[in-house]
Amino acid sequence: MSYTLPELPYAYDALEPHFDKETMTIHHTRHHQAYVDNLNKAIGEKGLEEETLEDVLKTISKYSPAIRNNGGGHYNHTLFWETLSPTPKTEPEGKLAEEIKTVFGGLDELKAQIKQAGLGQFGSGWAWLFVKYNGTIGIAATANQDNPLMDTNITNQGYPILGVDVWEHAYYLKYQNKRADYLDAFWSVLDWSSVEKKYAEALAKVK
Ligand code: MN
């Protein structure tokens, strides 16, 4: 088996003006494609075809940097695309909304903390909302293409349900060095219905 680049569920220009067409096109067809291609090369070398990517990432300390970087890159970008929408649900409801209120005090505080995590990540990486193995939610930042699934994290392990790519390739064409503006724009295309779905799936796994 080999990994393939998932189709985007919207057009490259669908997230304008927040995420521009050129960035989306290059990000998907070149950056994400490269992670897929290099993951397939690395998986072939290691003979890991039988493992799910999630299981590989959960035990990533056993594997090579090529699998860590490209397996993470494929997983992270797939999640990222799935949680964006040109017609997003702008606020969470139900159990996730209650959990956000309990842990952070409310949606505005969660957004502020994710922004802080993204701004605080030196160099390339991601900011995450994730479900810890004890069932509560938390925020983390990780370097490169790492994510909370990876056992190389000492703290902040769990299932990612929302991720913001803070590599410069995600924003530089439109926002240049203004990562803060990009992080603010992210909320205009973030679809909470997708995050709610991932939250429910993650909760089912940690129970
Ligand atoms: Mn990226």
Side-chain angles (χ1 to χ4, degrees):
M1 128 188 188
S2 63
Y3 291 97
T4 53
L5 183 69
E7 295 263 331
L8 291 188
Y10 36 77
Y12 289 119
D13 63 357
L15 306 181
E16 293 267 10
H18 313 288
F19 287 9
D20 63 288
K21 180 182 180 181
E22 188 179 15
T23 298
M24 287 296 294
T25 305
I26 294 170
H27 202 171
H28 182 249
T29 64
R30 297 196 210 163
H31 291 279
H32 191 171
Q33 183 71 62
Y35 295 121
V36 170
D37 293 345
N38 290 322
L39 175 60
N40 284 329
K41 282 183 208 159
I43 289 278
E45 287 165 18
K46 294 278 178 181
L48 293 176
E49 295 88 342
E50 306 308 316
E51 298 270 357
T52 67
L53 184 54
E54 188 174 287
D55 284 342
V56 169
L57 298 183
K58 281 177 164 179
T59 55
I60 202 67
S61 59
K62 295 195 296 183
Y63 298 111
S64 68
I67 291 177
R68 179 173 174 173
N69 293 334
N70 295 293
H74 179 43
Y75 183 96
N76 296 346
H77 287 85
T78 301
L79 181 148
F80 188 51
W81 309 135
E82 286 172 355
T83 58
L84 304 178
S85 170
T87 53
K89 178 175 178 176
T90 54
E91 289 186 18
E93 290 180 302
K95 195 166 168 54
L96 178 57
E98 287 167 26
E99 175 73 358
I100 288 170
K101 190 148 199 252
T102 302
V103 175
F104 302 105
L107 185 60
D108 288 345
E109 186 56 27
L110 172 141
K111 287 181 176 179
Q113 289 194 29
I114 287 181
K115 183 177 183 180
Q116 214 45 53
L119 287 175
Q121 174 57 41
F122 184 77
S124 297
W126 291 74
W128 302 101
L129 180 65
F130 69 104
V131 177
K132 299 176 186 178
Y133 294 127
N134 69 6
T136 64
I137 58 172
I139 288 171
T142 56
N144 303 316
Q145 294 297 347
D146 286 359
N147 70 40
L149 283 172
M150 293 182 178
D151 65 350
T152 42
N153 294 315
I154 303 300
T155 54
N156 297 323
Q157 283 188 25
Y159 291 95
I161 60 173
L162 175 164
V164 196
D165 189 345
V166 296
W167 284 57
E168 285 186 345
H169 69 226
Y171 61 86
Y172 207 87
L173 291 177
K174 183 174 176 72
Y175 295 100
Q176 295 84 47
N177 61 320
K178 294 174 280 186
R179 188 186 284 188
D181 290 357
Y182 159 75
L183 285 165
D184 288 339
F186 167 73
W187 301 113
S188 296
V189 290
L190 188 269
D191 184 13
W192 281 101
S193 65
S194 173
V195 182
E196 286 169 357
K197 186 161 163 278
K198 291 183 185 301
Y199 177 60
E201 289 166 358
L203 276 187
K205 288 179 196 172
V206 299
K207 271 177 184 161

